[in-house]
Each structure stands twice: as structure tokens, then as C-alpha cells.
Amino acid sequence: MNEMYPKRAANAAFRVLGGEAIVMNPEDSSLFSLNATAAVIWRAADGRRSLREIVVSDVCVEFEVEPEDAMREALEFASALAEHGILILAETPEAGA
Amino acid sequence: MSVCIGVGGMAVRVECPDARFLHELRRHYAGFVEDVTDGALELVVEPLPPPAVGSDAELEVRLEAGLWILHRGDFRAEWDPGAGKGVVRLHPNRYSLDSVLRIIHSLELARTGGGLLLHGASAVRNGRGFVFSGPSGAGKTTMARLAPAGVRLLTDEISYLRVAGDGFEAWGTPFAGELAQPGENIVAPLAALYFLRQAGENRIDPLSPSEALRLILKNTLFFAHDPVLVANVFALADRLAGSVEVGELSFAPDVRVWSLIR
């Protein structure tokens, strides 16, 4: 599988509270609640680090989960948010990485 | 000919050539009618004949060339936020105008970052404001009906919350729900915001910060899909969640629930 580099949509409004995140889509005001695992990925999604790197370095360390299980869930989560346009999945990292 | 309707400290002067309609508005908004003042927003009503075919088209609010276009089956309005002026074409009835006013207030509050409209009943007890929020059927009107003597109702449907210092104030509104009765035109510092849940007992449980923010956003009246306004509304909701007590109010539909509200 190719690497993907997640990045939060520029206008998405969000707040991380108690480890969880609330995200609002600026285009249609739809609301998303992210659990603690998803919130870690959301916070790290700057377009410079790959999803795999975020999962291995952040998610697995913080939650003590197996990389493959965590990666499967991360892909699901990232794809769902990408469908709503609030997470951008690029095949290459952003400049400045 | 016009009538000036002031809600939440924001006055809208409604101009209309239909004297009977203005008379109806003066009667309906009686507690909220103000002398025309400088600085009021201006809304011109262009009356239309009754529609040959009714339409239940859903509300659409969009920004076009700096103007907000408000379109529903029973009205079409253009609102210029920069000038604070707009025009609405509708067959004169207060229900349609009431909807237009709610939307204008929500847009102006979001634009200025001055406050929020929340689906909720609100009331003042012992000088403190309380909001009881939830979707249709949650019990907003029931809470209003159960209010004991000494409680002053602000609304049973749309709570008007304005930023004030480090907190918020709850204002009375004429925007009524099933109670079909305007609130009192008074204001009080907001002490607590409760999300209603009908149950067999009366109890208040705290909500996690993220759940509080989620429920506030879910119950906020907000019609415009605009990134700047979304950011403002989000920031206001976050501020609200952090500045007052926010909890879940489980309640059995009897007056004893009010013993928790002090």
C-alpha cells in the first residue's frame, strides 16, 4: 500500500477536550466526534508525516496497541473524514517536511 | 410604516405597506416593540399575494456576492450584513416573519461573535439564568409549564445567549414554541445550561467538556454554511461550554424538578 499523508482541512473548526476531539466541517456545519485514538491522528495530521508514522510513533505508543490493528482503524477513520472533505489524504508529504 | 422589534439587544425595524400586518406584529411582539432608534437593522417587507400552491421547500441560506439569500417555501429574503439591511418577499403572516427574524439574528450573532441562539427553554430564578436545551420532544415546553411561582420565563423554544464579560447573558425572546407565548423581555447572567433527558427521576449529571461542546453545537440554530461563520459559532460554543455549568438534566415531568434549579 502506498503511503498517505493526512492533513486537516484548513477551515475545519476543531477543539481537543479531555483527549477527544470535536470537529466541524466549514462547508456544511456537520459535526464529528473523534475518540481518543482518532483525536491523536487528527492532531498530528499536518500533511508532513505519513499515516503509518503517526500510528506507529504516536497511537501505538500512547495506547499500547498492535501496529497492524491500529493502522487498519486509522485507515478507516482517515477515509471517512476524507470523504467529508475535512481531512486531505496526499500521496506525498508537504514541502518543509 | 414600520415597527421596531428589539430582541437580545438587537433591534430590527420592519417596514411594510400593509397596515394590518404591522398591527398584528405590534400585538404579537408587544413586549419587544421599541421606539425606532438609530442603529436599528432594517428589514423591508414586500407583501406577496397568497400563494396559489403552497410550498414546503426547505430553508436554504447562502452567501451570494456579499448578500445572504434566505429562501424557503414561504419567503425569499436578501440580507446585506454590511449595511444591516434586507428585503423579504412573503405573504404577510407572522410565522414566516418570525422565521426570517430568527435567521437574521442568528446570522448577525455569528457574524459579530456576539452570541448564540440555542434550541432551548430558558428562565430566570433568583436573578440567575438557566437554559434547558434539547431537540423537539426533549421537554423544553414541559419545563416551562412546570415552572413554579417566582420563575420568569424567557422562552420555551429559542434561547438567546449573548457574550457578557467572561460569561454569557440569557435574554428573553418572543420566539415561542408549543407554549405559544412570548417570553419576558428581561436579561440575566447565565448560570447553567442543562440538556434535557426525560427519565423517572430528577437528577443533574455533569457532562464531559467534549460532550458539552458537541451538544451545544448540535443544538445551536445555525443556518449558514460559511467557513468564517462556522469558525465564529464554534468559538462561541467553546466559550459557552467553558464559562458556565453544563450538565444533563434527567427529569420526571413534575414540578419537583425545579427544586434542582436554584
Side-chain angles (χ1 to χ4, degrees):
Chain A
M1 186 197 318
N2 291 338
E3 289 288 6
M4 57 175 68
Y5 296 81
K7 184 183 178 186
R8 298 183 299 271
N11 291 329
F14 74 96
R15 181 92 153 91
V16 180
L17 291 160
E20 300 172 338
I22 303 294
V23 183
M24 193 176 233
N25 187 339
E27 300 303 325
D28 61 7
S29 311
S30 52
L31 204 56
F32 300 86
S33 302
L34 310 187
N35 64 20
T37 314
V40 166
I41 298 170
W42 175 263
R43 271 186 309 188
D46 60 2
R48 297 177 178 183
R49 298 168 70 200
S50 71
L51 186 61
R52 183 171 298 281
E53 186 188 343
I54 294 169
V55 166
V56 171
S57 303
D58 297 2
V59 175
C60 291
V61 170
E62 193 161 340
F63 299 101
E64 295 182 4
V65 288
E66 293 299 321
E68 287 316 308
D69 293 342
M71 191 63 196
R72 194 168 47 248
E73 280 183 28
L75 276 170
E76 250 175 58
F77 152 76
S79 303
L81 291 194
E83 273 180 31
H84 290 280
I86 55 174
L87 194 69
I88 297 146
L89 298 176
E91 292 184 350
T92 54
E94 280 208 344
Chain B
M1 289 185 291
S2 67
V3 58
C4 196
I5 302 164
V7 184
M10 195 187 303
V12 180
R13 190 163 65 84
V14 179
E15 260 185 56
C16 181
D18 184 332
R20 285 182 61 180
F21 183 49
L22 286 179
H23 179 69
E24 183 187 352
L25 294 182
R26 279 194 195 95
R27 199 177 51 201
H28 175 67
Y29 293 103
F32 295 84
V33 171
E34 298 181 354
D35 293 334
V36 177
T37 54
D38 290 339
L41 306 175
E42 292 181 23
L43 180 66
V44 175
V45 176
E46 294 182 357
L48 297 176
V53 179
S55 164
D56 59 356
E58 285 192 7
L59 174 66
E60 183 188 353
V61 179
R62 63 180 193 279
L63 191 60
E64 272 184 20
L67 294 181
W68 284 104
I69 309 299
L70 288 46
H71 191 204
R72 203 173 71 177
D74 54 338
F75 61 76
R76 182 186 167 82
E78 292 167 6
W79 181 255
D80 182 342
K85 293 180 180 177
V87 178
V88 59
R89 294 165 196 88
L90 48 74
H91 173 60
N93 77 75
R94 67 177 168 84
Y95 299 103
S96 297
L97 188 78
D98 206 76
S99 297
V100 175
L101 288 175
R102 293 180 195 197
I103 298 166
I104 289 173
H105 276 271
S106 76
L107 289 172
E108 288 296 319
L109 287 173
R111 183 179 70 82
T112 59
L116 291 170
L117 297 185
L118 209 62
H119 284 288
S122 44
V124 178
R125 187 172 211 187
N126 302 325
R128 289 150 50 85
F130 297 89
V131 173
F132 310 99
S133 181
S136 291
K140 300 188 292 290
T141 301
T142 303
M143 280 300 291
R145 285 196 175 117
L146 292 172
V151 171
R152 301 178 74 180
L153 289 178
L154 300 174
T155 175
D156 73 322
E157 179 72 5
I158 305 292
S159 289
Y160 202 117
L161 306 179
R162 293 207 69 140
V163 172
D166 294 334
F168 281 77
E169 288 175 334
W171 290 67
T173 83
F175 306 135
E178 286 176 38
L179 207 58
Q181 176 182 314
E184 281 195 67
N185 190 3
I186 56 172
V187 59
L190 181 62
L193 162 59
Y194 299 122
F195 291 96
L196 296 172
R197 186 174 78 89
Q198 297 195 34
E201 60 179 337
N202 299 315
R203 199 178 72 222
I204 294 171
D205 293 305
L207 289 169
S208 72
S210 62
E211 185 65 356
L213 176 58
R214 188 184 74 78
L215 286 173
I216 290 170
L217 287 166
K218 192 177 167 191
N219 287 284
T220 295
L221 265 82
F222 183 53
F223 309 96
H225 301 150
D226 173 82
V228 174
L229 267 55
V230 164
N232 285 355
V233 167
F234 197 94
L236 284 161
D238 189 27
R239 183 170 177 171
L240 176 60
S243 63
V244 300
E245 177 193 344
V246 184
E248 180 183 72
L249 174 60
S250 302
F251 78 106
D254 66 58
V255 72
R256 285 172 297 179
V257 64
W258 276 92
S259 65
L260 299 175
I261 312 301
R262 296 201 169 272

